[in-house]
Amino acid sequence: MDTLLHKFTGKIKGVIEGFDRIIFKGILQPICFPAGLNNLLLQNKVLNKDFKNWAQNTSATIVQKAEEYSMDQCGSKILFLDSYKTRKEALAHDLQTKSGVESGLIGAFSCVESCHTFKSVFNEKANYPQLKSHASRCKHLYFYYDHKDYGFMSVRLQTWAPYEVQIALNGREWLKRQLDKEGVKYFLSGNKFLDIENFEMAQRLLDSQLDTTWVETLDGLIPDILPSLEYKYDGPMTYSWTMWQSEWAKDYIFHDPNELGYQMHPLLRHAFITGTSDRVLRYMGHPLKKNGQPHWKSDPELETRIKFYYDGGRIKHWLYNNSLKLYNEKNVLRFELTMNDPTRFKIYRTVTGSDSDVKKFLPMRQGIADIAVRAQVSSLKIKDFTEQIATLKEDISVGEMLAKVTQPIKSNGKRYRGLDVMGKDLALLKAIADPKYNVDAITNKHLQAELGKTPWANGLEGKRLSARISRHLRLLREHGLIKKLPNQHRYRLTAKGRLLTTALNQFLGANISDLFELTA
């Protein structure tokens, strides 16, 4: 259940969730290291001392063929940019507006930028020049397209070995092309959908993007910009791909932008107040100790910023190279997770290069093999965020909420007692009310550590305490406060459980004088 959607029932037209900006990097693995490139030079009878001349001639050939390609496709030469700071995407949009290109190559730019390449260095010990990795600068080519399948996109090519490629797509631009093919009407502003005729179909099309055969798709974008070079090589010269950056976005599309604007100040304030450091660290996959604090050696630098602009506002949590943000634009409320360093998130997978099927919790990889799980983790983290935001200003009274869980219930012919919220079940409810369980899963082991030394445990230890906790977890499940994760002995708070535990935190933490003021 999407609690935030339920909260704004009647105010939201629809919801879509999927990739926004995604950037892939490709490297020619056989020549991305000195020994590999040296092997290529040997096969083409190029001495190491002549590497620079060979690289310059090859680069000139690539640029010449790229210019011929640009002239053939859009009738214009490559435009040289004298600064790497020039916003090439904005320049491409302006060029498209002027040229009226609706499909195909919009234009090509060139710019000198930093790169990883190689240089020939004389090795006195070996008594001949050898290739070494080298940080340098070289010409890069940018190709901007309005692709028939993927919409507005770009390809960046390094013209010196090892010819690194960067491909930037946008899931919303891609969706636009998909909707066009299906004949579904929509209203778009930038990369924000302000309205879609069929939201269910739009979500199915976004989901279908994850079924893409990525290697085949990305390889298919290379031949036009990097034709086969005239050299010999004994083996396949293909690109290896990684998803370098990704943005996963969930958009709540309101009927009225004014209604959304009215909601933004309380939403941002609530996001800031409830965005405690330990909670945000868990959102970002950072491990914490049992007391909710990071290990002193890790020293994470968490940054939270709130910004207001002419028609809305934004809150952004930034940790390392990943960020989580909430903002609005026109009638769109967007939650967005930017993942530049997936290794900060651990997933259940097999060990890379291992023949064993045994899975472990290991850092997520940048490779395309983990794209599907990357989407799942991004969606889950955003869901945690939206569910926490949805606890703002619930209309149900505390009395009504408690009445629902303090009464006995029957399930599958079995009777379960009501919860004694302020009595024998209080310690257990306070334990699961820990803010960390809005992000992390609840386990029997965690509760043993928290409740083992308290009166609630009745002096039980080991298996007997574990059995007592298991019985109570079953009770909480039947009352709808927690749900079991598939194929795991781990539990998550439901919307009902999150609401109850949030109310307990607020109620038990309030001063008597504050409560008197509220009832005055």
Side-chain angles (χ1 to χ4, degrees):
M1 176 182 172
D2 189 332
T3 310
L4 193 63
L5 177 61
H6 179 72
K7 180 181 180 64
F8 291 118
T9 300
K11 298 177 182 178
I12 294 176
K13 301 181 200 180
V15 181
I16 57 173
E17 180 179 12
F19 278 125
D20 187 34
R21 177 176 58 88
I22 47 178
I23 300 179
F24 297 89
K25 275 195 173 183
I27 59 170
L28 286 171
Q29 214 164 34
I31 60 170
C32 70
F33 57 102
L37 182 60
N38 186 68
N39 187 31
L40 181 142
L41 296 179
L42 283 173
Q43 292 185 44
N44 288 271
K45 298 181 180 179
V46 177
L47 298 176
N48 285 349
K49 68 176 183 176
D50 297 326
F51 166 72
K52 186 174 181 180
N53 291 334
W54 176 85
Q56 287 176 334
N57 293 334
T58 305
S59 177
T61 301
I62 292 173
V63 173
Q64 179 187 345
K65 292 186 176 182
E67 188 138 57
E68 293 171 359
Y69 169 68
S70 180
M71 286 294 294
D72 179 61
Q73 294 294 312
C74 62
S76 63
K77 294 183 178 181
I78 296 173
L79 176 63
F80 177 73
L81 306 177
D82 58 5
S83 173
Y84 70 92
K85 295 182 180 179
T86 302
R87 293 183 62 85
K88 303 165 190 70
E89 185 173 320
L91 200 61
H93 279 300
D94 290 341
L95 186 58
Q96 183 178 20
T97 302
K98 292 175 183 177
S99 63
V101 174
E102 294 183 356
S103 181
L105 182 68
I106 298 169
F109 312 119
S110 69
C111 185
V112 176
E113 297 178 347
S114 59
C115 69
H116 158 72
T117 184
F118 307 93
K119 69 176 180 178
S120 178
V121 178
F122 185 77
N123 187 323
E124 293 183 358
K125 191 172 183 180
N127 200 32
Y128 63 86
Q130 289 185 334
L131 295 180
K132 299 231 175 202
S133 295
H134 178 55
S136 184
R137 289 167 60 83
C138 75
K139 182 176 286 189
H140 289 71
L141 301 178
Y142 286 82
F143 301 85
Y144 281 87
Y145 298 85
D146 200 329
H147 197 278
K148 62 182 180 63
D149 294 322
Y150 312 118
F152 188 85
M153 57 161 291
S154 68
V155 181
R156 174 184 184 261
L157 171 65
Q158 177 179 312
T159 63
W160 274 55
Y163 314 114
E164 185 179 280
V165 172
Q166 182 174 299
I167 297 177
L169 304 175
N170 189 290
R172 298 309 199 259
E173 287 282 337
W174 190 347
L175 176 61
K176 181 178 72 171
R177 290 298 194 191
Q178 291 176 303
L179 292 173
D180 288 338
K181 292 177 181 178
E182 295 292 337
V184 177
K185 297 178 182 178
Y186 55 86
F187 186 56
L188 193 67
S189 175
N191 72 335
K192 306 289 191 306
F193 284 90
L194 309 185
D195 196 8
I196 302 176
E197 184 181 35
N198 188 332
F199 280 96
E200 290 185 3
M201 178 173 284
Q203 187 57 58
R204 287 198 300 270
L205 293 173
L206 275 172
D207 293 340
S208 71
Q209 294 176 5
L210 296 174
D211 298 328
T212 301
T213 51
W214 294 106
V215 173
E216 181 181 334
T217 298
L218 297 170
D219 282 348
L221 298 171
I222 298 301
D224 287 337
I225 64 153
L226 185 62
S228 297
L229 299 176
E230 296 178 358
Y231 53 62
K232 300 176 183 177
Y233 187 76
D234 183 18
M237 187 65 72
T238 56
Y239 275 91
S240 296
W241 297 99
T242 58
M243 183 177 273
W244 183 48
Q245 295 179 1
S246 68
E247 287 179 350
W248 184 270
K250 187 171 187 178
D251 293 345
Y252 293 83
I253 302 168
F254 281 65
H255 288 283
D256 184 1
N258 293 324
E259 174 62 32
L260 175 57
Y262 172 77
Q263 298 288 345
M264 281 309 294
H265 276 270
L267 283 174
L268 291 173
R269 184 169 58 250
H270 184 65
F272 181 73
I273 291 172
T274 59
T276 56
S277 60
D278 60 325
R279 177 174 291 152
V280 176
L281 287 173
R282 286 188 172 92
Y283 286 149
M284 309 301 263
H286 195 287
L288 298 175
K289 296 191 292 186
K290 292 180 180 180
N291 62 2
Q293 297 298 312
H295 192 275
W296 65 273
K297 286 186 177 180
S298 65
D299 193 25
E301 293 186 11
L302 174 63
E303 181 179 340
T304 297
R305 289 186 181 180
I306 295 183
K307 180 180 179 181
F308 292 96
Y309 37 90
Y310 70 98
D311 65 344
R314 182 193 75 186
I315 183 169
K316 181 177 181 181
H317 302 296
W318 185 270
L319 181 66
Y320 300 118
N321 292 319
N322 303 321
S323 70
L324 181 66
K325 58 186 174 183
L326 156 66
Y327 66 97
N328 69 309
E329 183 177 326
K330 295 183 172 61
N331 65 322
V332 178
L333 175 64
R334 171 168 286 192
F335 292 81
E336 185 176 285
L337 177 67
T338 301
M339 193 183 295
N340 298 330
D341 184 3
T343 62
R344 297 291 175 181
F345 300 89
K346 286 194 173 183
I347 60 172
Y348 199 53
R349 64 171 177 85
T350 56
V351 179
T352 303
S354 173
D355 295 332
S356 172
D357 293 332
V358 177
K359 293 185 177 182
K360 301 178 181 179
F361 278 101
L362 298 167
M364 192 189 306
R365 297 162 292 191
Q366 281 192 316
I368 58 177
D370 283 349
I371 288 180
V373 73
R374 185 173 185 149
Q376 292 173 2
V377 170
S378 298
S379 181
L380 179 61
K381 297 303 179 182
I382 285 181
K383 186 177 188 298
D384 290 335
F385 194 20
T386 60
E387 291 297 303
Q388 187 57 39
I389 297 300
T391 60
L392 172 68
K393 287 179 65 176
E394 290 291 341
D395 296 330
I396 186 172
S397 70
V398 175
E400 291 173 326
M401 182 171 49
L402 294 179
K404 292 183 177 182
V405 298
T406 54
Q407 297 299 317
I409 59 172
K410 280 190 175 182
S411 177
N412 297 323
K414 187 174 181 180
R415 184 180 183 277
Y416 294 88
R417 67 172 177 84
L419 297 176
D420 186 357
V421 176
M422 301 309 294
K424 60 184 179 182
D425 294 321
L426 178 60
L428 176 64
L429 292 172
K430 286 175 68 176
I432 67 168
D434 191 316
K436 69 183 180 183
Y437 293 130
N438 284 310
V439 181
D440 283 352
I442 301 166
T443 66
N444 191 308
K445 185 177 180 180
H446 287 163
L447 292 179
Q448 286 183 56
E450 294 182 30
L451 298 171
K453 302 298 182 180
T454 67
W456 184 90
N458 287 335
L460 299 177
E461 296 180 353
K463 291 184 178 180
R464 296 181 66 189
L465 176 58
S466 175
R468 175 174 169 80
I469 291 174
S470 293
R471 291 193 296 271
H472 281 77
L473 287 174
R474 184 72 199 184
L475 181 63
L476 296 179
R477 285 179 65 187
E478 295 300 334
H479 278 283
L481 301 182
I482 61 174
K483 62 181 179 181
K484 188 175 182 294
L485 296 177
N487 304 318
Q488 300 179 53
H489 296 294
R490 291 150 57 89
Y491 305 84
R492 297 296 295 259
L493 286 169
T494 63
K496 182 179 178 181
R498 190 175 287 105
L499 181 60
L500 176 63
T501 55
T502 299
L504 278 174
N505 274 331
Q506 296 289 338
F507 181 76
L508 296 175
N511 295 323
I512 296 296
S513 57
D514 293 336
L515 295 176
F516 275 125
E517 287 181 12
L518 290 172
T519 57

